[in-house]
Amino acid sequence: MMEPQPRIGVYICHCGTNIAATVDVAQVAEFAATLPGVVVARDYLYMCSDPGQALIQQDIKEQGLNRVVVASCSPTMHEPTFRGAAQQVGLNPYLVEMANIREQCSWVHRDREQATEKAKLLVASVVAKAALLKPLEEREVGVTPGAVVVGGGVAGMVAALDVADTGFPVYLVEKSDRLGGHVADLNRVFPTLESAAELLEPLIERVTSHPHITVLRNAEVVGMEGYVGNFTVEVRDSGIVDSGFGGDGAESTNYESTNLRTLDVGSIIVATGYDVFDPHRKPELGYGQYPNVITSLEMERRLATEDLTGFSKPVRSVAFIQCVGSRDVQVGNPYCSRVCCMYTAKQSRLVCELLPEAKVTVFFMDVRTFGKGAEEFYDEARAKGVLYRRGTVSEIYRRGDRVVLVGEDTLLGRPIDFEADLVVLAVGMEPRSDIADLSTLFKLPRSADGFFMECHPKLRPVDTVVDGVFLAGCCQGPKDIPDAITQAKAAASSALIPLIRGAVLAESATAVVDADWCAGCGMCVEVCPYGAPALDPFWGVSRINAVLCKGCGTCAVTCPSKAIRLQHFTSEQILAQVDALVE
């Protein structure tokens, strides 16, 4: 049976003035109407709006369209929108194609005439491809109910509780012998000055006694295979297992275990946290050389016991140095750690209350108080007598029983020569030392700062490139406790979607192997970042797991015998686009 001739509808979006200010959209629509196979071409102010989608749907029904081309923004933004609109009126979603004339055209050009001509070429190339599109079948796969949460800090515990409260089993894997992460090392938290223990202990109790949470301490994930809805996670457990049971969750069992266990789950939440910057890497600040130069975490422990003694003389002058290991290109951490300004305000305020006669000075680059109640807390610290001095400290050396801070007052443009009895280094956050291994294990990319990278900083802030694997807390970047908890709850909500649905949609635009052409070299197996191809042990040819495949095309371009074809991006379709661009 012959396939019907393409009946293509082309829709040019103004995107307000984002496109229309640089591209003559009406002229592009007139041009599109002359292209082969195009039966209707329109321009509209916002194609992604409800009226814009309704316009496409109406033409599909009335004009008998069997292909749709939308020229607008990036497909990353609205391809699911337009595919969904077409599917609602019976058109296969893979017969919808987009031309990016915003990011790739209007936003990068100033000359209106040139931008319009380029937009025409982009539309022509996509129309050429659209004429060769084939409908693809959407597939669903079942889901194993349950989740693994990697990391037992605040973010990991909150995420585990949110998933477990819906009734799904959760395995909380913690590498150390305790829960709580770095929050367990804190004395009080800002801006309420609430005891960290009072915040943490009820949370730990809820987790360890929850009937649907199994806590594996002194344990680590050593392997992960599978795909969204059907992950197999290998955990080496050489520590203590807490497993709540009973309807009220009031009882728990605690037993020693040493084994390698396999966990079958549908979702994974990575909440592996961060490392504290080691100030030994900045020897000019004297840490490790002078006993009265300490870190902010060491100061937390002293404030917890209200003990600022043990130095060579009574403390009468305390200096806090901000941004140690943060906003510092020389140590490889150009980013802001976000929490240092506020915990320094907290500690300096507590020092003023503990030592009313002491002089407390904070040396800072900039003060960043972005959280709720943070600016007010900063003002209260200054009202207590904390002196903030804008300046950079380049060196610390000993002068008798005291230490001297040398640097520059960047507000007045004068040198700093400041004596102190005690110096507190406000150390920042940085990626865990084992994050490279974790990145390989979970197949997660990292951003320029070294932390795990989310799919999109605004639209998908907890998703990763691996479907079914989500990020929570400071493994994704520095953040304070409220933000870490917020992200943990978002990650738990996202992780619950496949578990509650009981099925997930698998990518349809996947790679396909022609067994007659495959030489069984295994190059596709080596290059695939998702582990989709595998060599058939009997036939000696490559087979691709369509559920694991993400349609990236790496295997297709690597295959020396050209035995792999990427659906929705076939050679014929790509060459048709090229021909349209060079004619």
Side-chain angles (χ1 to χ4, degrees):
M1 183 177 177
M2 292 184 60
E3 292 187 4
Q5 290 296 313
R7 293 183 60 82
I8 305 171
V10 180
Y11 301 88
I12 316 297
C13 182
H14 294 233
C15 197
T17 58
N18 279 292
I19 295 174
T22 313
V23 174
D24 187 334
V25 291
Q27 190 180 134
V28 176
E30 291 175 6
F31 166 79
T34 68
L35 295 172
V38 175
V39 296
V40 60
R42 306 182 189 279
D43 62 280
Y44 191 74
L45 187 61
Y46 288 105
M47 287 307 311
C48 62
S49 65
D50 288 343
Q53 295 178 55
L55 181 64
I56 296 174
Q57 292 173 328
Q58 181 179 351
D59 283 347
I60 291 173
K61 291 184 290 186
E62 295 181 356
Q63 303 282 346
L65 302 182
N66 55 21
R67 305 286 191 280
V68 169
V69 170
V70 182
S72 58
C73 57
S74 166
T76 305
M77 183 74 70
H78 278 304
E79 187 174 68
T81 302
F82 296 117
R83 282 184 173 179
Q87 192 171 27
Q88 288 175 11
V89 290
L91 184 65
N92 187 284
Y94 288 92
L95 298 177
V96 176
E97 193 68 21
M98 291 187 67
N100 185 348
I101 63 169
R102 189 180 72 175
E103 287 85 346
Q104 295 180 359
C105 189
S106 67
W107 280 2
V108 292
H109 293 289
R110 294 182 180 179
D111 187 286
R112 184 175 177 83
E113 183 177 345
Q114 291 182 350
T116 301
E117 290 304 311
K118 180 178 178 179
K120 291 178 182 179
L121 286 174
L122 291 174
V123 170
S125 71
V126 173
V127 167
K129 177 187 177 183
L132 299 174
L133 291 176
K134 305 293 184 183
L136 299 180
E137 181 183 352
E138 291 191 319
R139 295 165 291 111
E140 284 191 344
V141 293
V143 170
T144 303
V148 164
V149 178
V150 187
V154 168
M157 289 192 291
V158 168
L161 282 168
D162 276 15
V163 175
D165 281 346
T166 63
F168 291 102
V170 178
Y171 300 92
L172 181 60
V173 182
E174 168 54 40
K175 195 171 186 179
S176 70
D177 61 354
R178 66 169 188 174
L179 297 177
H182 290 289
V183 176
D185 298 324
L186 303 182
N187 168 36
R188 296 183 180 276
V189 295
F190 58 81
T192 61
L193 293 182
E194 176 186 3
S195 167
E198 293 178 3
L199 174 75
L200 202 56
E201 288 172 2
L203 186 61
I204 293 175
E205 173 60 26
R206 285 183 60 201
V207 168
T208 55
S209 63
H210 200 288
H212 299 302
I213 298 179
T214 299
V215 180
L216 307 175
R217 288 180 278 160
N218 282 345
E220 60 179 321
V221 175
V222 294
M224 185 201 80
E225 294 180 349
Y227 47 88
V228 55
N230 295 271
F231 290 110
T232 298
V233 180
E234 285 192 348
V235 177
R236 182 181 293 118
D237 168 26
S238 58
I240 298 173
V241 177
D242 300 311
S243 180
F245 64 92
D248 58 0
E251 299 176 28
S252 67
T253 182
N254 196 315
Y255 56 89
E256 292 292 328
S257 165
T258 304
N259 56 56
L260 185 66
R261 65 179 71 215
T262 300
L263 309 176
D264 294 322
V265 295
S267 298
I268 298 172
I269 298 175
V270 178
T272 49
Y274 65 96
D275 281 346
V276 177
F277 178 78
D278 181 2
H280 284 104
R281 289 160 56 188
K282 293 187 72 69
E284 65 272 17
L285 297 183
Y287 181 74
Q289 304 173 47
Y290 313 129
N292 43 353
V293 177
I294 65 176
T295 68
S296 48
L297 280 179
E298 292 167 341
M299 188 62 165
E300 285 285 328
R301 291 191 283 270
R302 287 182 171 271
L303 289 172
T305 58
E306 298 187 349
D307 181 14
L308 292 182
T309 62
F311 302 106
S312 56
K313 61 182 298 184
V315 175
R316 292 291 179 265
S317 175
V318 181
F320 290 85
I321 302 177
Q322 291 278 57
C323 300
V324 177
S326 302
R327 305 178 69 190
D328 190 337
V329 177
Q330 291 183 343
V331 298
N333 297 341
Y335 53 85
C336 171
S337 287
R338 301 185 70 192
V339 299
C340 314
C341 286
M342 287 307 301
Y343 75 58
T344 295
K346 174 195 70 177
Q347 291 185 349
S348 61
R349 175 175 168 175
L350 292 174
V351 169
C352 285
E353 295 173 359
L354 183 61
L355 302 174
E357 302 301 320
K359 179 181 180 182
V360 181
T361 306
V362 176
F363 292 91
F364 69 98
M365 284 195 248
D366 301 291
V367 177
R368 298 181 172 182
T369 57
F370 64 90
K372 186 174 183 178
E375 182 69 19
E376 295 84 349
F377 187 87
Y378 164 59
D379 290 339
E380 290 171 5
R382 291 187 295 171
K384 292 282 185 180
V386 179
L387 174 65
Y388 276 77
R389 188 170 179 183
R390 195 172 190 276
T392 57
V393 177
S394 57
E395 183 185 2
I396 296 177
Y397 66 91
R398 188 196 298 272
R399 180 184 289 167
D401 293 333
R402 312 182 89 191
V403 289
V404 180
L405 285 64
V406 178
E408 179 188 6
D409 187 312
T410 54
L411 183 63
L412 301 177
R414 298 175 182 174
I416 291 175
D417 188 277
F418 185 88
E419 286 193 0
D421 301 310
L422 176 62
V423 176
V424 182
L425 306 179
V427 287
M429 302 178 180
E430 61 182 6
R432 287 175 56 106
S433 59
D434 60 352
I435 196 168
D437 296 332
L438 294 170
S439 176
T440 301
L441 177 65
F442 294 109
K443 303 180 179 67
L444 299 179
R446 297 159 63 191
S447 50
D449 56 15
F451 292 92
F452 287 133
M453 180 184 289
E454 68 286 349
C455 270
H456 192 286
K458 293 182 175 64
L459 300 177
R460 300 177 65 190
V462 300
D463 298 55
T464 70
V465 296
V466 181
D467 292 342
V469 178
F470 305 94
L471 302 176
C474 295
C475 67
Q476 181 263 340
K479 49 185 65 70
D480 60 9
I481 295 173
D483 280 356
I485 290 176
T486 299
Q487 191 179 35
K489 287 183 167 292
S493 298
S494 297
L496 279 168
I497 293 173
L499 304 185
I500 292 173
R501 288 187 70 239
V504 292
L505 287 174
E507 175 62 51
S508 298
T510 57
V512 178
V513 178
D514 186 334
D516 293 336
W517 285 83
C518 180
C521 66
M523 291 182 66
C524 58
V525 179
E526 295 179 10
V527 300
C528 179
Y530 306 104
L535 289 178
D536 188 309
F538 182 77
W539 294 103
V541 297
S542 177
R543 308 287 190 193
I544 292 179
N545 185 327
V547 179
L548 288 176
C549 180
K550 303 300 178 189
C552 68
T554 303
C555 59
V557 298
T558 302
C559 180
S561 57
K562 303 305 176 187
I564 301 179
R565 175 174 57 89
L566 183 60
Q567 299 184 104
H568 201 67
F569 295 94
T570 65
S571 298
E572 294 80 8
Q573 292 166 354
I574 300 301
L575 289 173
Q577 286 193 270
V578 174
D579 288 341
L581 289 170
V582 299
E583 284 182 355

